[in-house]
Amino acid sequence: MSDTPDLRLQDFTPKPQMVTPATRVTTPKFQAIDAHNHLAEPFGGGWDKRPVAELLDILDTADIRVYVDLDGGWGESILNNHLDYFKAAAPERFRIFGGVNWESWSEHGDRFGEWAASQLRIQTARGAQGLKIWKPFGLHVRDQHDQLVRVNDARLDPLWETAAELDLPVLIHVADPVAFFDPLDASNERWEELHGHPDWQFPSPPFPSFMALMTDFAALVINHPRTTFVGAHVGCYAENLAWVGQLLDRCPNFFIDFSARIAELGRQPYSTRRFFLKYADRILFGTDAGPSLDHYRLYYRFLETDDEYFNYGTKPIPGQGRWQIYGLYLPDDVLQKVYYQNARRVILRQA
Ligand SMILES: [Zn+2]
């Protein structure tokens, strides 16, 4: 035996030997709204081509009362398909969000914001009930001069103000996660994930730095106090709850979902629990994993139990990094708000 055996990372699969509870939570303690999810490829499992009845069965089993489908997009046909296929089949069970067609910037120039606002009105008239801003905003979206558009670009003010006027929540994802901006060396905590998805790296330069994007994001939320923003994936900065908390403190129009980030939250369980207790009115449940029973149950376990050191994913080696998570054992009043009441107010727009 050599002192330093040459074991490859991918072959290292340690089995924890602690004897601690592993609680199976099949349904949430209170019914839930999934405020961040998808139904089309690549994130939603292609449910636009599968029977809606089957989908409703899964949602019933998981006790998900309302499912937010962020895949309405901007093509009339996509939005219409989702409205016709899901919304018409079960109007109370789905909310379909529209999107912005950034490709048209070159055509509309400095008037792009007005044009995008007019498109939002059209989408809303058709039945869209929110606006999804995808991550290329800040990283790839370019104006008519081929210049990168900043997240707080004033030319987009009409879009955000129109969302406020139409009472539409804006669910927005910028920048996150931090490690995608770091060099892909042995110190990168998302090393395996980035090797699996080399196009997820955003080295700066040429890309703006993570903090430059987040500073612009904060300015956007601060500059549009009438607009309701939901920062995806723990306000786009799950690694730094203090930063997210400061923006929540400053901006009553800011909310967060924690979809696809229990890996980050569950490895800082003390901070996360304090954060959930303090901001219980501002946090929305969501999974971003398609209508997956396994994922729902993992999230319920994370929120409700004090189970320790468990896999945050559904595969033996979880996707975001080789660590494990701890449950939050949240009190009932917080669970009720996070599962349902906050989304009822922020997404369903009900008092
Ligand atoms: Zn998503």
Side-chain angles (χ1 to χ4, degrees):
M1 271 293 270
S2 112
D3 286 344
T4 53
D6 192 10
L7 175 66
R8 295 184 306 173
L9 176 61
Q10 66 194 60
D11 298 327
F12 183 57
T13 53
K15 287 192 176 55
Q17 298 294 350
M18 285 101 53
V19 181
T20 54
T23 314
R24 186 171 155 78
V25 186
T26 54
T27 52
K29 197 160 186 185
F30 305 97
Q31 61 180 12
I33 295 172
D34 187 340
H36 183 140
N37 220 323
H38 304 272
L39 286 170
E41 294 290 0
F43 302 111
W47 280 93
D48 45 347
K49 295 176 184 67
R50 295 163 74 175
V52 181
E54 218 176 288
L55 169 60
L56 288 169
D57 272 353
I58 295 173
L59 300 183
D60 287 345
T61 306
D63 210 3
I64 300 295
R65 304 318 302 162
V66 184
Y67 186 101
V68 174
D69 165 23
L70 300 172
D71 292 344
W74 45 87
E76 291 177 24
S77 60
I78 308 176
L79 180 60
N80 285 348
N81 283 348
H82 282 237
L83 289 166
D84 291 347
Y85 194 65
F86 302 110
K87 185 82 182 168
E92 302 306 318
R93 303 298 293 278
F94 298 103
R95 294 266 152 159
I96 317 281
F97 279 36
V100 177
N101 179 6
W102 301 111
E103 299 287 308
S104 299
W105 198 304
S106 51
E107 190 184 324
H108 299 282
D110 288 338
R111 308 271 307 163
F112 179 82
E114 279 89 0
W115 177 80
S118 73
Q119 296 304 111
L120 186 60
R121 285 182 196 283
I122 293 169
Q123 290 179 4
T124 307
R126 286 208 194 97
Q129 291 173 299
L131 176 64
K132 170 72 198 289
I133 302 296
W134 296 74
K135 190 162 128 172
F137 184 44
L139 290 170
H140 298 296
V141 171
R142 290 180 177 273
D143 71 5
Q144 72 272 26
H145 309 299
D146 204 34
Q147 294 297 306
L148 202 59
V149 174
R150 287 177 62 169
V151 169
N152 62 343
D153 191 310
R155 290 173 293 182
L156 292 170
D157 286 353
L159 176 64
W160 314 123
E161 292 303 317
T162 300
E165 185 196 317
L166 297 171
D167 203 27
L168 295 181
V170 178
L171 196 147
I172 177 166
H173 182 198
V174 297
D176 133 294
V178 183
F180 288 5
F181 292 78
D182 288 339
L184 186 47
D185 60 25
S187 71
N188 193 310
E189 66 176 2
R190 300 250 192 167
W191 190 93
E192 282 178 291
E193 185 183 28
L194 283 171
H195 272 273
H197 303 274
D199 55 320
W200 289 0
Q201 293 173 74
F202 305 104
S204 171
F207 293 98
S209 71
F210 177 83
M211 274 325 295
L213 288 163
M214 293 307 289
T215 302
D216 283 357
F217 175 48
L220 169 71
V221 176
I222 291 164
N223 290 340
H224 297 280
R226 296 190 322 130
T227 309
T228 296
F229 290 98
V230 179
H233 314 311
V234 196
C236 309
Y237 204 174
E239 299 90 337
N240 189 343
L241 297 180
W243 190 96
V244 179
Q246 279 181 18
L247 193 57
L248 287 166
D249 288 339
R250 180 158 179 190
C251 300
N253 59 319
F254 187 51
F255 299 84
I256 63 158
D257 74 57
F258 60 97
S259 65
R261 292 296 175 273
I262 62 171
E264 303 303 336
L265 297 179
R267 62 174 165 151
Q268 46 180 330
Y270 308 133
S271 301
T272 298
R273 192 168 192 281
R274 281 194 294 271
F275 183 85
F276 270 65
L277 296 184
K278 182 168 182 190
Y279 299 107
D281 295 317
R282 314 288 289 282
I283 302 172
L284 311 184
F285 174 82
T287 63
D288 200 24
S292 153
L293 268 184
D294 287 344
H295 282 94
Y296 282 128
R297 287 169 175 167
L298 200 47
Y299 277 65
Y300 303 156
R301 182 184 184 194
F302 170 62
L303 294 175
E304 295 182 25
T305 79
D306 61 357
D307 284 2
E308 296 167 298
Y309 201 73
F310 56 95
N311 187 332
Y312 60 81
T314 54
K315 298 187 182 117
I317 304 295
Q320 293 172 337
R322 286 173 179 254
W323 56 83
Q324 307 274 304
I325 64 168
Y326 304 80
L328 300 180
Y329 59 101
L330 295 172
D332 283 0
D333 60 323
V334 175
L335 286 175
Q336 255 172 317
K337 289 175 175 180
V338 168
Y339 273 138
Y340 195 86
Q341 289 169 0
N342 295 339
R344 186 182 135 95
R345 217 170 57 246
V346 175
I347 304 288
L348 308 189
R349 314 307 277 174
Q350 294 169 8

